[in-house]
Amino acid sequence: MKKYLYIYKSEIMSSLQYIFNILLNMVGYTVLVFIFFNLWDYIYEDASQLINGYTKNQMIWYIIVTEMLWQASGARKLCRKICEDVRGGNIAYNINKPYSYIGYVISSHLGEMTIKALITIIVGIIFGMIFLNELPQISLIGIIIVLISAFLSILINTILVTAIGLLSFTIEDASPIYWLYSKVILILGTMFPMEFFPKIIQTIVRFSPIYAISYGPARLFVNFDIKNAVVILITQMIYVGIALGISNILYKKGVKKLNVNGG
Amino acid sequence: MTIIKVENLNKTFKVKQKEKGLKGSIKSIIKPKLNEIKAVKDINFSVDEGEMIAFIGPNGAGKSTTIKMLTGILYPDSGSIEVLGINPTKQRKKLSYEIGTVFGQKEQLWMHLTVYDNLKFFGAIYDISERETEERIKELSKLFDLQEFINTPVRNLSLGQRIRCEIVAALIHRPKVLFLDEPTIGLDPVVKENIRKLIKRMNNEYHTTVFLTSHDVSDIEKLCKRVIIINNGQIVLDDSMTNLKYHYLDKKVIEVKLKKKVDFNSVDGIKVLKSKENNLKIEIDTKKTDLTTVLRLIDPENIIDINISNTPLEEIISQIYRKE
């Protein structure tokens, strides 16, 4: 475990070298949240109106949190990196080191994303406070639980995207699968809470990783409830286990097929 | 003591084939055609502790595939490999603590971190204590002259400095075997010479077994006492450097500047390599004709300048590659 913490720490040190790029990325995040702010502001007639159980402020905070989680996951970058590692043979230079490749990828990616996640949280909160003037009603313990849930959400997303990237061992290019994955999460998780969809879709979302990645932590933030928190945290931990299992199977099967060009 | 033992090693790659044009592209999706390429064919060799061995061959000969199987990166189809008594395929992680690798064409260091932070990182991933890592950094940075740039980010180093750091990073956990894959590629002659000296010094100090691949004949000549040549996946020569030079020294090259031109074309065992006005470069096959006979053909009064040399090692190796 110590070595993975060192990989994580080294990646944080490394990412501090391009902090300006991270700050530039925040422009995209702010613009997106601003568009949704105006959209919901237009749809809601007044602040007390409820649509599918959500007030206008809750709805906007939901978007701020889900988009924050997606940005802080850096999923597209991770998938592209693994696909290139597998196709280009770079994975070979990580295989002969005394660590697990999956452990390396996860700790290194989380390290790379830490600064970005912190900046996104700050920008998101500032945005919410400027445009909505208030935080959702949540205690300090609630905030700590939401932060744990947010971390688990990013972790699950990272491991699942690692698994998608590892599909490159078999299908050469896993980016179309990633594209599909990201769009499903965007529509069914990031943009709208599951209560906005028909019953059948709600059931699908409830039993899919979208619940653990997007809906769960965002719902907790906008409408904290300890019972719900327990369910969400347990679900997330189960998903961490499942995702790790899938990644390990794909890696073990794939690495036997590795075909690295010679020199 | 034998450190590396390879017996009847085989590796085949399946390479996708595609007919030309759009029709070929569609056909390859419906019915993909795979070609089998035998990269390594039934090779056997062993390496002793402390040896510096050159493992060379032309591009696509199978040398990198062999190194990757020795280091546990690729799985062999058949045959057995033992590195320090460890099977690289089954105990890859255990082996990684005992070996070091340097790939001249691929950086293993973190570009944004300083040399010192990189070495600390490698110490941590090899489970070396903080105190011991510090001691190793001190010792190795002295041996490889890193002090001057130890606090510089790797991205700001010259290629020669970076390769020195790559070697040190590969040595931080005191590996018993060091695999060097073209460590001097792209370096200028002075830096190359410097790197060679450092590798030699490291071999003397730590008695590390070195398994080297390089296309630079000087690397091989100056560092290794034994050479294994692989071509088309098979070992075509496994001999000492001295024997290699001795057995293939049946050719001499004479470069001569004459007052009047002499015709050597009709003489058996002499091949004219270059002829420009009265300057000649000829190759003599000493199995067919001896040097004295050739020199007798030239009147000493006619010679302005003469130089007799052995066939360069590079040429000898090329001849072996071409199976001449």
Side-chain angles (χ1 to χ4, degrees):
Chain A
M1 196 62 197
K2 194 183 139 202
K3 65 181 82 174
Y4 297 107
L5 283 174
Y6 214 96
I7 294 169
Y8 174 76
K9 192 178 117 187
S10 301
E11 198 63 75
I12 291 181
M13 288 197 284
S14 199
S15 68
L16 283 170
Q17 303 288 323
Y18 39 89
I19 197 151
F20 188 67
N21 296 19
I22 301 175
L23 289 171
L24 270 181
N25 279 335
M26 288 306 111
V27 177
Y29 169 67
T30 326
V31 169
L32 206 88
V33 174
F34 186 70
I35 291 169
F36 277 100
F37 167 77
N38 282 296
L39 185 74
W40 289 114
D41 198 41
Y42 179 75
I43 293 169
Y44 278 89
E45 281 169 8
D46 61 72
S48 60
Q49 190 196 349
L50 286 177
I51 301 179
N52 293 317
Y54 288 81
T55 63
K56 185 181 86 179
N57 279 10
Q58 280 178 322
M59 201 49 237
I60 294 164
W61 274 115
Y62 180 91
I63 293 276
I64 290 175
V65 174
T66 51
E67 190 53 34
M68 188 189 284
L69 291 171
W70 186 254
Q71 290 283 333
S73 293
R76 192 174 62 177
K77 196 176 176 188
L78 175 65
C79 185
R80 199 188 306 143
K81 188 188 173 296
I82 297 173
C83 288
E84 279 169 11
D85 266 8
V86 174
R87 277 183 300 174
N90 266 355
I91 196 168
Y93 306 102
N94 273 313
I95 286 176
N96 66 348
K97 295 283 182 295
Y99 46 63
S100 108
Y101 175 71
I102 291 175
Y104 170 81
V105 166
I106 294 169
S107 45
S108 136
H109 184 71
L110 290 178
E112 197 182 342
M113 287 301 128
T114 298
I115 303 292
K116 192 179 175 187
L118 290 174
I119 295 174
T120 319
I121 290 174
I122 296 167
V123 171
I125 300 285
I126 292 174
F127 183 95
M129 291 307 288
I130 291 173
F131 289 94
L132 303 169
N133 294 320
E134 59 170 15
L135 274 173
Q137 282 187 334
I138 186 167
S139 63
L140 187 63
I141 295 172
I143 288 177
I144 293 168
I145 292 174
V146 170
L147 284 175
I148 296 170
S149 178
F151 169 73
L152 288 170
S153 145
I154 294 169
L155 183 64
I156 296 162
N157 203 1
T158 300
I159 309 171
L160 283 178
V161 173
T162 303
I164 293 172
L166 288 172
L167 287 173
S168 298
F169 275 123
T170 351
I171 55 167
E172 283 202 21
D173 187 9
S175 17
I177 296 177
Y178 169 75
W179 185 86
L180 202 65
Y181 168 84
S182 63
K183 295 306 166 247
V184 170
I185 292 198
L186 176 74
I187 297 162
L188 301 181
T190 309
M191 283 161 66
F192 307 99
M194 65 178 184
E195 289 83 355
F196 280 64
F197 298 104
K199 274 271 175 282
I200 178 81
I201 304 279
Q202 280 190 40
T203 317
I204 294 170
V205 173
R206 176 66 190 86
F207 293 100
S208 76
I210 301 167
Y211 182 83
I213 292 171
S214 286
Y215 176 84
R219 170 80 191 174
L220 273 187
F221 186 66
V222 298
N223 192 3
F224 189 82
D225 162 18
I226 194 72
K227 268 189 200 163
N228 228 347
V230 173
V231 174
I232 288 165
L233 289 179
I234 291 173
T235 312
Q236 285 183 314
M237 280 185 254
I238 292 170
Y239 266 112
V240 170
I242 294 171
L244 271 178
I246 295 170
S247 296
N248 273 308
I249 293 168
L250 287 173
Y251 175 74
K252 277 184 186 156
K253 284 201 161 193
V255 85
K256 287 184 184 166
K257 288 185 189 171
L258 186 63
N259 191 345
V260 186
N261 291 341
Chain B
M1 193 183 129
T2 306
I3 291 273
I4 301 173
K5 201 174 166 193
V6 171
E7 282 175 351
N8 310 107
L9 190 66
N10 285 286
K11 178 74 187 173
T12 306
F13 288 122
K14 283 184 180 143
V15 181
K16 219 175 185 179
Q17 297 297 305
K18 188 186 87 67
E19 285 170 34
K20 54 189 171 188
L22 181 66
K23 199 177 147 195
S25 299
I26 296 166
K27 217 172 155 186
S28 76
I29 297 170
I30 301 162
K31 203 179 170 190
K33 202 175 148 194
L34 297 170
N35 249 14
E36 279 204 348
I37 292 175
K38 288 198 168 184
V40 172
K41 299 173 203 162
D42 217 25
I43 64 167
N44 294 278
F45 65 88
S46 63
V47 180
D48 286 339
E49 191 180 0
E51 250 191 300
M52 287 231 266
I53 184 173
F55 191 72
I56 60 169
N59 290 332
K63 51 185 193 309
S64 274
T65 304
T66 309
I67 285 203
K68 284 181 179 116
M69 285 193 279
L70 290 176
T71 51
I73 293 170
L74 290 178
Y75 285 64
D77 294 340
S78 63
S80 76
I81 310 171
E82 263 186 31
V83 180
L84 298 147
I86 301 167
N87 180 338
T89 317
K90 290 181 181 156
Q91 297 161 288
R92 188 191 324 214
K93 199 171 172 188
K94 188 179 174 194
L95 179 69
S96 65
Y97 284 98
E98 308 291 343
I99 61 166
T101 46
V102 175
F103 299 92
Q105 299 193 69
K106 168 74 198 156
E107 66 275 0
Q108 300 188 78
L109 300 170
W110 294 55
M111 288 293 126
H112 295 301
L113 298 187
T114 64
V115 177
Y116 176 81
D117 285 335
N118 263 289
L119 297 178
K120 286 277 281 183
F121 168 79
F122 279 92
I125 65 159
Y126 283 102
D127 301 318
I128 306 168
S129 70
E130 291 253 341
R131 195 176 54 83
E132 212 186 324
T133 307
E134 287 291 344
E135 278 170 22
R136 293 287 291 162
I137 293 174
K138 233 183 243 174
E139 188 186 328
L140 286 165
S141 59
K142 204 173 152 195
L143 185 71
F144 282 80
D145 292 326
L146 307 185
Q147 291 102 325
E148 217 181 286
F149 49 85
I150 196 141
N151 291 318
T152 309
V154 173
R155 63 171 191 275
N156 298 124
L157 299 181
S158 70
L159 185 58
Q161 288 171 330
R162 185 175 69 73
I163 292 290
R164 261 147 75 188
C165 297
E166 293 272 359
I167 298 175
V168 169
L171 288 173
I172 202 94
H173 58 294
R174 296 180 198 270
K176 295 188 181 82
V177 187
L178 184 63
F179 291 91
L180 298 171
D181 194 356
E182 299 191 41
T184 59
I185 196 161
L187 300 176
D188 71 55
V190 180
V191 180
K192 269 185 189 181
E193 197 49 47
N194 190 12
I195 298 278
R196 283 178 203 131
K197 270 186 202 159
L198 294 169
I199 294 172
K200 224 170 190 173
R201 210 193 293 172
M202 171 215 68
N203 177 256
N204 287 336
E205 292 260 318
Y206 306 125
H207 214 57
T208 313
T209 308
V210 176
F211 196 92
L212 169 87
T213 74
S214 180
H215 286 297
D216 189 321
V217 175
S218 307
D219 283 352
I220 302 154
E221 203 172 8
K222 289 176 182 166
L223 286 172
C224 305
K225 287 192 177 136
R226 186 178 152 207
V227 60
I228 295 179
I229 300 181
I230 184 168
N231 200 0
N232 293 320
Q234 287 172 312
I235 289 179
V236 290
L237 185 128
D238 180 355
D239 213 336
S240 70
M241 197 58 85
T242 331
N243 277 352
L244 172 71
K245 285 182 186 170
Y246 179 77
H247 287 307
Y248 285 84
L249 281 188
D250 47 16
K251 283 184 181 146
K252 293 273 176 193
V253 176
I254 299 180
E255 284 170 282
V256 63
K257 195 173 182 181
L258 301 165
K259 288 176 187 161
K260 267 189 283 172
K261 203 173 181 177
V262 179
D263 184 25
F264 290 105
N265 281 325
S266 53
V267 187
D268 190 33
I270 296 181
K271 191 173 153 193
V272 179
L273 299 174
K274 216 189 257 178
S275 169
K276 196 180 174 191
E277 292 166 7
N278 295 340
N279 298 333
L280 274 174
K281 188 178 179 183
I282 53 174
E283 188 185 73
I284 297 129
D285 188 343
T286 51
K287 280 188 281 186
K288 290 182 183 163
T289 180
D290 59 75
L291 210 56
T292 331
T293 317
V294 179
L295 289 174
R296 271 197 206 116
L297 294 172
I298 315 168
D299 175 9
E301 292 292 318
N302 190 20
I303 300 172
I304 300 171
D305 192 10
I306 189 163
N307 179 33
I308 305 170
S309 58
N310 291 324
T311 315
L313 185 61
E314 195 158 355
E315 183 55 31
I316 295 174
I317 290 171
S318 299
Q319 281 173 18
I320 299 171
Y321 287 175
R322 295 194 300 261
K323 294 181 192 167
E324 280 177 10

